[in-house]
Amino acid sequence: MSENMSENTRSGPLPDLLFRNVRLIDPASGRDGAGELLVRNGCIADIAERIEAPEGAAVIAGGGAVLCPGLVDMRAALGEPGFEYRETIASAAAAASAGGITTLAALPDSQPAIDDPALVHFLRARGAATGRLTILPYGAVTRGCRGEELAELGLLREAGAVAFSDGARAIHPARLMRLALSYARGFGARIVQHPEEPSLAAGGAATEGELATRLGLPGIPACAEAILVARDLRLAELTGGMVHFSRLSTAEALALVRAAKARGIAVTCDTAPPYFALNELAIGDFRSYAKLSPPLRAEADRAAVAEALADGTLDAVVSDHQPRDADDKRLPFAEAAPGGAGLATLLAVTLAEYHGRRLTLSRVIELLTIAPARLLGVEAGRLAKGLPADLCLFAPERAWRVAAGALPGKAQNTPFDGRALEGRVLGTWKAGRRVFG
Amino acid sequence: MGELPRHLLTIEGLAPPAIAHLLDLAESYVLLNRSGRTERDMLRGRTLINLFFEDSTRTRTSFELAGKRLGADVINMSVAASSVNKGETLLDTAATLNAMQCDLLVVRHAQSGAPNLLAQKVDAAVINAGDGTHEHPTQALLDALTIRRHKGRLAGLVVAICGDVAHSRVARSNIHLLVTLGARVRVVGPPTLIPAAIEGLGVAVFHDMKAGLASADVVMMLRLQKERMARGLVPSAREYFRFFGLDSEKFAEAKPDALVMHPGPMNRGVEIDSRLADDPAHSVIREQVEMGVAVRMAVLDTLARARAWPRHV
């Protein structure tokens, strides 16, 4: 890639980099403790309690902050190609760096959809060209993500698609889902489902219930999630395919997944921070920045999501970054586009589960690094000698306040506007090069 | 008097004294209107804009008359759905209205929450004249005034709100107002037209019309739009009328002096039998229209007084 080459040439060889006085947390190896880490030629050269500083090495004094693998975000929309007014790959990459993210799986429901091998190569190259972010493209399950005929899953996989999804659209006909699970299985690839029965969700703007009734908003019954999850679990059992539910948000669906895992079905799932940090009351007086898909749920469901993070039912936490511009959001609630910006707040909102003593710090990092990396089948999200030095340095206790309008990147549509968070990224390194802080 | 907000966007959240104040003031306007001394000047020099994104001759005319009787300059802006397609957003419209130095803005919109959005962006006091399936505050006030004039009170009355509650902003505003003032409110309709968890608003739910009307003091009918049949929520108009249309047989379950109300426009033969709609012994449907003007005068007057008017440069 010519752009990538010029990036490397411009910056020249990197000096050795030694992190001192940090708490090293690497859930993949179980490491959690004071230590030092040496980076040479963009890769991790040594990890030990004490490392002699090589001649000419730049030393970073961590001040006791946490040094962990760069975060792996398993689900984000980039805006590019097709919606550059919302976000570009460059602006998303800047926001990712500020959030400690060094690897990101990009949704395929762009314009055009990622349903052609050339587009997979394109996205990977554009990610590399940023010099700060590895982009792992999802391939479309169906051509154009239109939900009709299967895309060329084999060719997409060969080109480097990490898994398959139709993005924010559920794979709807049962026969189509069966085919997708069955065919993708031959290529060892997961089908990532938007867990919402479309015929129950159509036209809905909020979770059905007293709040939606008071606001006069068309409701989506919470069970629209469990209904599709139940069907797809059965189809996964039938086909032996691997299904992954993204952004689970209800107690009922999580219970189904918990039981299916116990029965040995190849199912995995994730959620996104709004679903354990907010409930439906956030839409309050028609706040369209809190309009998400799936919609925010009742408090009991929010609590069940937090519980499922702790008990291991949920395998990963994703940003579900959905960039929207002001014109997408400054509309009457039912007409506003759903989706929230999530890259910059992913770590800090998830850390609230640690501060609330529901998760250990190591489990928080696991959910954001090695767990999604394993689901995506990529070598990332861990600290080991010889691997590229993708690193995140953060202060778990440092407080800051989310402010829409002041977020890194282009998209400012955060559902967490005004919220005080604990946990600040101090620095992000991609292959040994500092890209944030 | 209770505190009135800067805008009138919802009945939900209004305290009983604020509602009582509006009803008392409206009562005085009823008497003045009937006396024929209609020229008043409390809104002289003020601009009232009727901004209607949905057609409604009835409500728009009522606000227009109310504004004119208080001396305001009244301008009607009908924004057909098509002009939104031209790319002008609701907030562009708000900016235009600010430039026109509008003082009172009456808004009707097909989307729930649209007036709330406008209220964040305009300098004018915003009056919700019906937003989507959310609220229609002045309709609830005029209904309450009509009931109060006949029954002398609202507390303790049994009020049955019947029909398409799910898609009715009139029903929501009425529920909030009547429950706040101590009436016993029932909603009656087929389960497909009763919204989820409506009991949380303090009402009892009935799916059988006769049971719902038993000993009712007031029977409030709602309009059923043809679109509901098209969407399969109700199989047919005749089936609907058979089970949920108000006819004399079902109405016989209510108290002998029960009132029949309808926010209009009526679908005769769908939700209400003409004989009942026109029965002078029970129907107060025409009186509701008269109360509408008085209530809107009270709302305009009160918001105008409560407000520190921006001095236009």
Side-chain angles (χ1 to χ4, degrees), chain A residues 190 229 232-233 236 241-245 248 253 256-269 313 315 375:
Chain A
R190 277 196 168 74
V229 166
D232 289 352
L233 286 171
M242 293 188 285
V243 66
H244 178 94
F245 299 109
L248 285 186
L256 290 170
V257 169
R258 196 174 284 126
K261 283 185 166 186
R263 293 213 321 277
I265 296 172
V267 55
T268 53
C269 61
T313 303
D315 298 283
L375 292 172

Side-chain angles (χ1 to χ4, degrees), chain B residues 56-294:
Chain B
S56 168
T57 311
R58 176 183 301 251
T59 305
R60 198 207 62 220
T61 308
S62 182
F63 270 108
E64 184 173 359
L65 201 51
K68 284 184 170 161
R69 286 198 177 153
L70 295 173
D73 297 322
V74 181
I75 291 148
N76 292 320
M77 285 177 67
S78 286
V79 190
S82 61
S83 67
V84 177
N85 294 340
K86 285 178 194 161
E88 183 173 273
T89 66
L90 197 56
L91 297 184
D92 291 331
T93 309
T96 307
L97 294 169
N98 276 342
M100 288 176 181
Q101 296 168 349
C102 158
D103 300 297
L104 291 153
L105 180 64
V106 175
V107 186
R108 152 99 29 129
H109 199 284
Q111 290 291 340
S112 301
N116 304 59
L117 185 62
L118 269 176
Q120 292 166 16
K121 302 292 173 184
V122 296
D123 301 328
V126 175
I127 297 143
N128 179 6
D131 62 326
T133 56
H134 180 217
E135 286 227 33
H136 192 350
T138 57
Q139 179 73 41
L141 288 165
L142 75 87
D143 287 342
L145 182 61
T146 307
I147 298 170
R148 204 176 74 166
R149 285 172 60 84
H150 283 269
K151 301 289 179 190
R153 65 193 165 99
L154 291 161
L157 294 181
V158 175
V159 181
I161 301 176
C162 308
D164 186 4
V165 177
H167 301 93
S168 178
R169 51 197 174 210
V170 173
R172 284 174 179 72
S173 286
N174 264 310
I175 289 168
H176 291 308
L177 192 154
L178 293 166
V179 168
T180 301
L181 293 190
R184 289 154 60 199
V185 182
R186 303 168 177 174
V187 295
V188 187
T192 48
L193 296 180
I194 301 293
I198 187 85
E199 296 88 347
L201 276 62
V203 302
V205 176
F206 290 79
H207 302 306
D208 179 275
M209 190 83 166
K210 284 185 179 175
L213 261 51
S215 304
D217 295 286
V218 178
V219 179
M220 212 178 255
M221 299 308 297
L222 300 172
R223 180 176 166 78
L224 181 78
Q225 291 180 342
K226 294 211 175 65
E227 186 205 325
R228 310 300 168 223
M229 264 82 82
R231 286 182 51 211
L233 294 167
V234 173
S236 71
R238 72 171 188 175
E239 176 156 327
Y240 185 79
F241 185 74
R242 168 72 184 82
F243 293 101
F244 298 100
L246 186 67
D247 55 22
S248 42
E249 188 196 334
K250 296 181 194 109
F251 186 63
E253 301 293 321
K255 284 197 182 141
D257 62 345
L259 302 179
V260 173
M261 304 179 76
H262 194 297
M266 285 181 278
N267 287 315
R268 291 167 184 268
V270 177
E271 70 255 358
I272 190 163
D273 187 322
S274 273
R275 272 163 297 185
L276 271 171
D278 301 330
D279 178 357
H282 298 285
S283 173
V284 292
I285 294 171
R286 255 169 287 176
E287 188 178 334
Q288 287 175 271
V289 178
E290 181 192 354
M291 294 307 118
V293 178

Side-chain angles (χ1 to χ4, degrees), chain A residues 255-326:
Chain A
L256 290 170
V257 169
R258 196 174 284 126
K261 283 185 166 186
R263 293 213 321 277
I265 296 172
V267 55
T268 53
C269 61
D270 67 56
T271 195
Y275 302 108
F276 55 83
L278 298 174
N279 65 26
E280 62 184 348
L281 297 178
I283 69 175
D285 189 27
F286 299 100
R287 278 192 64 232
S288 62
Y289 275 37
K291 182 180 178 183
L292 306 176
S293 175
L296 290 171
R297 305 298 190 184
E299 171 59 19
D301 281 321
R302 185 209 62 76
V305 173
E307 173 60 33
L309 284 174
D311 75 12
T313 303
L314 283 161
D315 298 283
V317 174
V318 302
S319 76
D320 194 28
H321 183 67
Q322 293 284 346
R324 301 287 180 253
D325 90 334

